[in-house]
Amino acid sequence: MIDKLKELENISLPSWDKLPDDGIYKEELLTYLKKVLNPLYVVDKNVITSSMVNNYVKLSYIDKPKKKKYYRASIAQLIVITIFKQIISIEDLAKGIDIEITTFGLKEVYENFETIFNLAREDILTSDENTCVNVNYEFTDHHDKVLSYLAISLFTKLYTQIVIDNRKEI
């Protein structure tokens, strides 16, 4: 159990500038996403599949590949979708992403998401050696509040699931 918690505590999402933007084929994309997101999948190890990517493209949840290659925008969209689909329906998530991108632009949305994700991770998983959770946020706007609540929900769910799945180790 401790190993799974430490792995989750130490997850680090790539910054916008570190996301691949030279164009990668689907198999490379899947490998990349599984490597980045694996610590978040404590229950279902099926992080992302080729079929999922195809469906997200078909439903216009992510940008279509160009000459069978995926670029930074699609990769960022897939990271957000793959993370938050664990706690909110894919349809609602896609609507929210569309609103955010239309309002702020994808780069700004992703950078804000990364910041809020990391803050929630620290607050939920690493505060006072997990004996105390202090969640005290000041929101400048509604979309930050929504992202924060989603991230807090995610880490609360994952922590709880790890403890339940490993109850014999306690």
Side-chain angles (χ1 to χ4, degrees):
M1 176 174 85
I2 300 300
D3 291 341
K4 286 183 180 181
L5 286 174
K6 285 292 179 200
E7 190 177 357
L8 190 57
E9 286 174 12
N10 294 320
I11 187 170
S12 178
L13 296 180
S15 66
W16 176 263
D17 294 331
K18 298 227 182 211
L19 292 173
D21 200 33
D22 295 334
I24 56 177
Y25 291 105
K26 190 184 297 176
E27 286 308 312
E28 295 170 288
L29 171 72
L30 294 172
T31 300
Y32 177 79
L33 291 172
K34 287 176 184 179
K35 180 181 172 192
V36 169
L37 301 174
N38 188 51
L40 294 173
Y41 280 77
V42 297
V43 179
D44 180 7
K45 292 297 180 186
N46 207 10
V47 176
I48 186 87
T49 65
S50 181
S51 298
M52 290 176 193
V53 173
N54 291 342
N55 286 336
Y56 299 158
V57 169
K58 184 173 139 182
L59 295 168
S60 299
Y61 294 162
I62 66 168
D63 295 341
K64 292 181 181 181
K66 297 173 186 152
K67 297 183 181 179
K68 297 186 180 186
K69 289 187 175 185
Y70 295 84
Y71 292 85
R72 183 178 288 148
S74 295
I75 296 167
Q77 291 167 315
L78 280 167
I79 287 172
V80 174
I81 289 170
T82 304
I83 288 172
F84 286 143
K85 74 178 183 179
Q86 297 183 78
I87 54 171
I88 189 171
S89 76
I90 191 73
E91 294 82 11
D92 287 343
L93 184 54
K95 286 179 198 172
I97 290 171
D98 188 50
I99 291 168
E100 290 288 299
I101 290 171
T102 301
T103 307
F104 300 101
L106 183 56
K107 179 181 180 187
E108 292 78 12
V109 169
Y110 183 82
E111 288 174 340
N112 190 45
F113 155 75
E114 180 194 3
T115 299
I116 289 172
F117 176 91
N118 287 327
L119 181 62
R121 176 186 49 78
E122 290 171 18
D123 287 346
I124 299 301
L125 299 176
T126 62
S127 59
D128 295 333
E129 299 178 22
N130 292 322
T131 59
C132 179
V133 175
N134 297 311
V135 181
N136 186 16
Y137 295 100
E138 289 185 28
F139 302 106
T140 56
D141 50 42
H142 183 68
H143 77 278
D144 282 354
K145 188 174 187 179
V146 170
L147 274 176
S148 296
Y149 284 175
L150 284 171
I152 290 166
S153 297
L154 172 75
F155 288 113
T156 303
K157 175 191 175 191
L158 295 176
Y159 180 86
T160 303
Q161 194 65 55
I162 289 170
V163 171
I164 289 170
D165 289 348
N166 295 280
R167 65 191 173 278
K168 294 177 184 175
E169 295 179 25
I170 299 175

